[in-house]
Amino acid sequence: MTLDLLAQGFAVAIQPLNLLLVAGGVTLGTVVGMIPGFGPVNAIAVLLPVVFSGGLEPASAIILLAGIYYGSQYGNSVASILVNIPGTPSAVVTALDGYPMARQGKAGQALAVSAVASFVGGTLSIFGLILFAPLLASVAIRFGPAEYFALMVLAFTSVAGLSGARPALGLLSTSLGLLLATVGLDPNSAVARYTLGQMRLLDGMDFVVVTIGLFAIGELLFLVDSPREVENPVRDGRISTRGAVRGTWDQRWSMLRGSVVGFFVGVLPGAGGTIASFLAYGTEQKLAGREGRFGDGDPRGVAAPEAANNASANGAIIPLLTLGVPGSATTAVLLGALLALDVTPGPLLMTRTPEVFWGLVASMYLGNMVLLALNLPLVGFFARLLLLPRWLLATVIAGMSLAAVYALNGSAFDVGVALALGVLGYGLRKIGAPLAPLILGVVLGPLMERSLRRSLALSGGDWSILVTGPVAIGLWVLTLASVVYWLGPRFGPRKL
């Protein structure tokens, strides 16, 4: 039965118009993903009027929008690897090892690993979507606020190793991220917190402003301060795509593990690629142990989060289509598009409009193939961008970054906040503190606070609700094991 429906889906996806939409969507998504601050949410929101005015059938329209959605996942990794500007929270993890690889002259290899890992993660998650969509949707809906709180704590412990031998710096970075996350209105009482009387901070710290400030502006300040340490790493313009791809086979197990983690985390509404990428990265760190060079250009640090990122993007489609529950801001926009197209997501979607569900599934598989065929030949071109003079590259990055921040709300105040955060990022980098925990704190802080408050509201203030139920207990056990793993080599008995 499933194979028959899937065959019908491919019959929809291979129609000439839909094939063109698949190719156009992933291409546009890749380009958009490379623009600082202009991620898939903005791209889909901008293109919605065009889609509706084009007279497309519902299946064709959602195929185009979904192509932009997962195509942008790879585009974000290009900007993260080449210029250290993550476009989304999940792309922050790719920058941890992707950018050091680029500085070591391995930009082509990093981009190839990213492209192949994205394809592997996307493809495996599509098979999971085909086989387990209804089952996983029923499991995901049982995740309550207590389970989500435990999951987010686990995500924080997964990045404990980013601080290396100085865990205090990792704790400092995480604390700063959680502090920035509290800026804005209290979610329960609507009381302003830490806004310093500024009306523009009532909505909290915008992720784009934070990431561009910490990474882009901070990197430029570091460039000005230490120009000799960041000389152009790419010296040979003849970058071989074949040579770049050759080493991707060695990362196959990292890609597989990242795909599994990303898919199952992506299924959970509200979890998304951020938690998936950090968990996949932390898993590879633990498995590598002292043999890993994570943070200094380890290819596994690119393969695992990229596979997890794309797998979670496809996994998030499950609660969207089968339950009508968006798992992220992007899928929330897709939900609005489906409703506007008179398609109601839910348990009956696969029976009432099977051409939409199965056509989308088939197009996602074809889109991943197009994405790989499109981006692998461009590995050398993207890597050669680093051959530009550093002063010119720095000028372009600064101009694009500040323009992206200003374009968010047309506010010079946001530009000032980004510059201030750039100084903070520069200072943290000088003392050796990792930036990834800070970003994770900004992204997950509000979600963690809401989950904790909802749990306590449901239990009447009884904290035992956080350790009630097999899922929550299992997540806390994993968290404890993660903490013990990282603290053991530092504080346990040493071998003579």
Side-chain angles (χ1 to χ4, degrees), residues 149-448:
F149 179 78
L151 178 64
M152 292 172 194
V153 174
L154 175 61
F156 275 107
T157 60
S158 72
V159 298
L162 297 179
S163 52
R166 305 172 69 183
L169 292 178
L171 180 61
L172 170 65
S173 185
T174 303
S175 301
L176 289 173
L178 292 174
L179 178 63
L180 291 176
T182 61
V183 174
L185 294 178
D186 183 280
N188 281 7
S189 63
V191 174
R193 303 185 301 190
Y194 310 116
T195 60
L196 304 178
Q198 295 291 334
M199 295 289 292
R200 294 193 178 276
L201 291 178
L202 291 178
D203 290 333
M205 303 292 291
D206 191 283
F207 166 77
V208 174
V209 176
V210 174
T211 51
I212 287 181
L214 290 174
F215 285 90
I217 306 301
E219 178 68 21
L220 292 175
L221 292 175
F222 186 78
L223 172 66
V224 172
D225 181 50
S226 310
R228 294 182 180 179
E229 294 185 29
V230 286
E231 292 179 356
N232 197 327
V234 181
R235 306 185 186 280
D236 187 359
R238 298 169 297 175
I239 298 173
S240 169
T241 301
R242 180 180 300 178
V245 176
R246 192 177 299 135
T248 59
W249 175 252
D250 296 335
Q251 319 309 325
R252 60 191 182 279
W253 297 115
S254 297
M255 296 178 190
L256 178 61
R257 287 187 291 265
S259 300
V260 174
V261 171
F263 177 69
F264 285 104
V265 173
V267 170
L268 304 177
T274 305
I275 296 178
S277 297
F278 275 98
L279 286 178
Y281 189 91
T283 300
E284 292 304 308
Q285 271 190 311
K286 292 178 176 63
L287 293 176
R290 296 184 179 180
E291 297 179 0
R293 296 180 293 104
F294 289 86
D296 294 321
D298 194 313
R300 289 170 292 185
V302 176
E306 277 300 296
N309 186 20
N310 275 53
S312 68
N314 292 342
I317 297 293
I318 291 180
L320 172 68
L321 296 182
T322 59
L323 300 174
V325 178
S328 63
T330 308
T331 50
V333 177
L334 289 176
L335 174 61
L338 285 171
L339 295 175
L341 293 166
D342 200 24
V343 176
T344 303
L348 299 179
L349 175 66
M350 287 186 280
T351 56
R352 289 181 176 176
T353 51
E355 71 279 0
V356 173
F357 181 87
W358 293 105
L360 174 61
V361 170
S363 73
M364 291 168 69
Y365 179 74
L366 296 177
N368 272 279
M369 296 181 66
V370 172
L371 197 62
L372 184 67
L374 171 70
N375 287 299
L376 273 185
L378 294 177
V379 162
F381 169 76
F382 288 141
R384 278 192 289 272
L385 292 177
L386 295 179
L387 288 169
L388 294 173
R390 297 298 290 182
W391 64 267
L392 176 59
L393 195 59
T395 302
V396 172
I397 293 172
M400 291 181 62
S401 300
L402 295 178
V405 171
Y406 183 79
L408 286 173
N409 302 300
S411 170
F413 178 80
D414 288 343
V415 176
V417 172
L419 293 174
L421 290 172
V423 175
L424 173 63
Y426 165 75
L428 291 174
R429 180 167 178 175
K430 291 292 285 186
I431 65 175
L435 296 180
L438 193 155
I439 294 294
L440 190 65
V442 171
V443 174
L444 297 188
L447 299 175
M448 178 181 287

